[in-house]
Amino acid sequence: MPFDRLVTAMDEYAAITNETVVIQLGCSNYLPKNAEYFQFTTYEHMQALYEKARVVVSHAAAGAIILAIKLDKQLVVVPRSSMYGEHFDDHQTQLAKALKDTGQAVYIENPTPASLRDAIEHIKQQGNLVSGSPQLIKSIKEQLSAWNQ
């Protein structure tokens, strides 16, 4: 499902930052004007992009979160919302809030260039929020499994 809210906000953020912004569009319809982008890629390429990144801004999907945690990357999560037709339910909001509550990520509900800038600035000031804890990864997998039941 498209996630034009985040793609658009990240592209607009790219226009106001000196950092390189790379966006995975997926099924989104908006085509960035200020950021590098691609539609889909391999796991290996995505891992290489994460390794280069200072901060990862992602939808609140388990795979993206687990990869960021494994690589000790600073993380900003923006959950897809069923209200906007971005997902069939709001499980990403539950996961994003849990990460925020445990201090593992900065959570943004409504992405804008300003909210992205503020979240990334907060990470700069706070240092690395993410810990590559195997227990955290296990807990995320267990919670996802419970939600699927």
Short mmCIF file of all heavy atoms in Angstrom, two decimals, residues 30 43 51 53 77 82 84 91 102 114 119-120:
data_model
loop_
_atom_site.label_atom_id
_atom_site.label_comp_id
_atom_site.label_asym_id
_atom_site.label_seq_id
_atom_site.Cartn_x
_atom_site.Cartn_y
_atom_site.Cartn_z
N TYR A 30 3.86 9.23 -5.06
CA TYR A 30 4.63 10.46 -5.11
C TYR A 30 6.07 10.16 -5.53
O TYR A 30 6.70 9.26 -4.99
CB TYR A 30 4.61 11.14 -3.74
CG TYR A 30 5.46 12.39 -3.68
CD1 TYR A 30 4.94 13.62 -4.07
CD2 TYR A 30 6.77 12.35 -3.23
CE1 TYR A 30 5.71 14.78 -4.01
CE2 TYR A 30 7.55 13.49 -3.17
CZ TYR A 30 7.02 14.70 -3.56
OH TYR A 30 7.78 15.83 -3.51
N TYR A 43 17.36 -7.44 -0.06
CA TYR A 43 17.71 -7.32 1.35
C TYR A 43 19.15 -6.86 1.50
O TYR A 43 19.45 -6.01 2.34
CB TYR A 43 17.49 -8.66 2.07
CG TYR A 43 17.92 -8.61 3.51
CD1 TYR A 43 17.07 -8.10 4.49
CD2 TYR A 43 19.18 -9.05 3.90
CE1 TYR A 43 17.46 -8.02 5.81
CE2 TYR A 43 19.58 -8.99 5.23
CZ TYR A 43 18.72 -8.48 6.18
OH TYR A 43 19.12 -8.41 7.49
N GLU A 51 23.57 0.38 6.68
CA GLU A 51 24.92 0.47 7.24
C GLU A 51 25.52 1.86 7.02
O GLU A 51 26.24 2.36 7.87
CB GLU A 51 25.82 -0.62 6.65
CG GLU A 51 25.48 -1.99 7.19
CD GLU A 51 26.19 -3.13 6.48
OE1 GLU A 51 26.86 -2.90 5.44
OE2 GLU A 51 26.04 -4.28 6.94
N ALA A 53 23.74 4.65 6.71
CA ALA A 53 22.87 5.68 7.29
C ALA A 53 23.30 6.06 8.70
O ALA A 53 23.73 5.23 9.49
CB ALA A 53 21.43 5.17 7.32
N VAL A 77 10.49 6.18 13.74
CA VAL A 77 9.42 5.36 13.17
C VAL A 77 8.17 6.19 12.95
O VAL A 77 7.79 7.02 13.77
CB VAL A 77 9.09 4.13 14.04
CG1 VAL A 77 10.21 3.11 13.99
CG2 VAL A 77 8.79 4.50 15.47
N SER A 82 -4.36 2.95 9.05
CA SER A 82 -5.52 2.46 8.29
C SER A 82 -6.43 3.62 7.91
O SER A 82 -7.09 3.57 6.87
CB SER A 82 -6.29 1.42 9.10
OG SER A 82 -6.80 1.99 10.29
N TYR A 84 -5.68 6.38 6.67
CA TYR A 84 -5.25 6.95 5.39
C TYR A 84 -5.13 5.89 4.29
O TYR A 84 -4.60 6.17 3.23
CB TYR A 84 -3.91 7.67 5.56
CG TYR A 84 -3.95 8.83 6.51
CD1 TYR A 84 -3.34 8.74 7.75
CD2 TYR A 84 -4.62 10.01 6.18
CE1 TYR A 84 -3.38 9.80 8.64
CE2 TYR A 84 -4.66 11.07 7.07
CZ TYR A 84 -4.04 10.96 8.30
OH TYR A 84 -4.09 12.01 9.18
N HIS A 91 -1.61 -1.97 13.61
CA HIS A 91 -0.61 -2.65 14.43
C HIS A 91 0.73 -1.91 14.43
O HIS A 91 1.48 -1.97 15.40
CB HIS A 91 -0.42 -4.10 13.99
CG HIS A 91 0.33 -4.26 12.71
ND1 HIS A 91 -0.28 -4.17 11.48
CD2 HIS A 91 1.64 -4.49 12.48
CE1 HIS A 91 0.64 -4.34 10.53
NE2 HIS A 91 1.81 -4.53 11.11
N THR A 102 9.86 2.52 25.29
CA THR A 102 11.07 1.88 25.82
C THR A 102 12.33 2.65 25.45
O THR A 102 13.43 2.21 25.74
CB THR A 102 11.18 0.43 25.32
OG1 THR A 102 11.24 0.43 23.89
CG2 THR A 102 10.03 -0.42 25.81
N ALA A 114 9.17 19.51 9.27
CA ALA A 114 9.53 20.04 10.58
C ALA A 114 9.58 18.92 11.64
O ALA A 114 10.51 18.88 12.45
CB ALA A 114 8.56 21.13 11.02
N ALA A 119 12.78 15.38 15.06
CA ALA A 119 13.10 14.02 15.51
C ALA A 119 14.56 13.69 15.28
O ALA A 119 15.24 13.14 16.15
CB ALA A 119 12.21 13.01 14.79
N ILE A 120 15.07 14.04 14.13
CA ILE A 120 16.47 13.77 13.81
C ILE A 120 17.39 14.62 14.68
O ILE A 120 18.42 14.14 15.16
CB ILE A 120 16.71 13.95 12.30
CG1 ILE A 120 15.96 12.85 11.54
CG2 ILE A 120 18.20 13.94 11.96
CD1 ILE A 120 15.85 13.06 10.04
#
